[in-house]
Amino acid sequence: MEITLKHILPIPLKEKLIQKKSDVWNTNQTFNSKEWIKIKAPSGTGKTTLIHILYKLRLDFEGQLFWDKKNIDEINEIELATIRQQKLSVIFQDLKLFPNLTAKENIELKRVLPTPYYDENMITTMAEKLGITHILHQQTALCSYGEQQRIAIIRALIQPFELLLMDEPFSHLDKANTTIAANLIAEECTKRNAGFVLTDLDDDTHFNYTQQLSL
Amino acid sequence: MLFTLLKKIIKTSAGKTKFIMAFVGLSVALLLILLAIQIQANYHQLLNGKSNADSTANFLVVNKEVNNNTVNATILSNEILTKLKNQPYIDAVGNISGGRFKASIESLISSFPFYTDIAFESVQDEFIDVNTKDWQWNEQANFIPMIIPNMFLDIYNFQFSISQGYPQITPATLKMMNFKVNLYNTNGQVQSYIGRIVGFSDRISSVLVPQSFMNWANEKFGNAATTNPGRVVIRTKDPGNPALVQFLKDNGLTTDADKTRFSKYRQIVNVITNVSWLTGAIMLLFALLVFTLFIQLTIASCKEEIKLLITLGASPKQLQQFLIKQFFPPNILIVVIALIIITAIQFILYKILLAQNIFVSSLISFYTVIAGVAVLLLLWWVNNVTIKKYIKGK
């Protein structure tokens, strides 16, 4: 999976961003399965906007975006579903969990949407690693943000992918839990030969990044 | 597993009352439509079924109405004869040709004396409801075969014989008797033959002789050139067809009213089935509308959930399959229930009519089942299109 950006500028932030120098906005950039990329940026510079654009959640931008050389405008809803099931996974900053489902059901949903990559036991294995086994059968709405974030991380890792998008994935986790979660993510990406794009506010050493970009 | 999870996410119970209303409406609509088809099928069977065939019902003797305008002018024109032949509901037209000579008939037995002037008619054999090997004539024949209306014998046995003090006669006895048939040529010279009654007809109220005899006698004794007939026999699948009755009326023709009386019943049945059809169709339309609205409502009330599912990579196909599985099975149930009810009604009808010697099938018609399946397909299509449309909107 390869995402190519050609002079992308989100329309709502256009005036603000055009004056700044950026490694991503209004330039040519490629994210692929070979690279672990960190994008560092302060609040309000469009980290979430970028992740949403890369995931084809929003189309209000100038420039061109390609998924595996195909212009994103030409990707129909069937291809979109296939790519999101097979090649491109995501951890949203706002997590996007179903509040009325249990933690396990939220993860299970993502496991069975595509042809399952892992069997059901893997949910428990991952939950054990991240220390959330006790809330697996609890309704997500009743879980803490930290727990919800770990559910979202496992959900993103339970499916097959070639590229993983992460939007401040550790924002609700303490240092120890962040390290554990980062290790799991690194392990899963290595296993799949997958790349990732991670956005965050500060510098960190959670991963061996191949590139560190600023937004 | 996916559907179990989707069921928790997409709540289809949003408009339960509406769903029940749609369910009931659809059931009634379907019942009316299928009943209309079944009634038509039954009626068709009653008209054309072999077990219900009535030998006289399908043949009508048609002639001009005799009134002040048509007195002595009841000959049917070529135009009318052609018109008759061209009507889709008239299968065949047989000319009844009359004798153009004077004739009389008298008894040869003194204990049963009678004498009467008489006129013969003839018609092609295929229109005669008497089947006997005696129904043939040539110049070497020993007697002239005749068919008389059943009614004549009844008049004799129940009126004439009683009032005159004569013995009653059975049909078999009458058939054994010889009569003297006198034929007169234009000069009044008489020639006598032996005549014998070979059968009794319910169809044509006339003294019939074989066509071959009529041709011969007309040539030998006849007084004028061949003319068009004044009466014809028509064969029709359905004497009760309102179109036939209307056609006869429009052309100043008349026939045995008894045989066309079904026309009135037929019209009533038609009205009932049409009303049933129409009501059913309108109800189906409304029920479909309510169903569509129900689907729309469900999808609208789960807008956010469906959006998130698509964000997570759910394919439109997965969602459609899931929603169809939620909405469609009740429709199958409705069709099955409607068919079961109609089967029950049909069986009861069969029992009731059987007691009156009227035969309809004890099972529902093939067309009714086909119609049920067709409605089911329509429902599936409507479900599918609606779901597709509203998912796309999300």
Side-chain angles (χ1 to χ4, degrees), chain B residues 29-70:
Chain B
L30 205 72
L31 208 60
L32 284 173
I33 289 177
L34 296 185
L35 260 179
I37 294 169
Q38 186 58 42
I39 290 172
Q40 281 288 1
N42 284 346
Y43 200 70
H44 190 78
Q45 196 188 6
L46 284 175
L47 282 181
N48 299 322
K50 279 207 167 62
S51 46
N52 293 296
D54 177 344
S55 70
T56 61
N58 298 337
F59 289 88
L60 298 173
V61 176
V62 171
N63 50 263
K64 273 192 185 171
E65 208 173 339
V66 181
N67 54 33
N68 288 339
N69 298 324
T70 57

Side-chain angles (χ1 to χ4, degrees), chain A residues 55 57 77-78 81 84-85 92 96-98 100-102 105 108-110 112-113 155, chain B residues 1-2 5-6 8-9 11 304-306 308-316 318 392:
Chain A
Y55 195 66
L57 269 194
E77 49 189 3
I78 298 166
R84 284 175 178 173
Q85 286 182 11
F92 293 108
K96 294 197 194 295
L97 299 168
F98 287 103
N100 60 332
L101 294 189
T102 66
E105 285 167 343
E108 179 68 7
L109 176 70
K110 200 77 203 279
V112 294
L113 262 185
R155 184 177 69 177
Chain B
M1 187 63 204
L2 176 62
L5 290 169
L6 289 179
K8 275 191 94 170
I9 298 167
K11 293 260 185 291
E304 289 307 316
E305 285 82 358
I306 289 174
L308 182 48
L309 280 168
I310 291 171
T311 301
L312 293 176
S315 70
Q318 284 171 319
K392 229 183 173 111

Side-chain angles (χ1 to χ4, degrees), chain B residues 58-62 84 90 92-94 127 232-236 244:
Chain B
N58 298 337
F59 289 88
L60 298 173
V61 176
V62 171
L84 274 168
I90 296 177
V93 178
F127 292 95
V232 289
V233 190
I234 58 169
R235 195 177 74 221
T236 170
L244 170 65

Side-chain angles (χ1 to χ4, degrees), chain B residues 137-143:
Chain B
W137 184 89
N138 57 42
E139 284 186 52
Q140 281 77 45
N142 296 327
F143 63 90

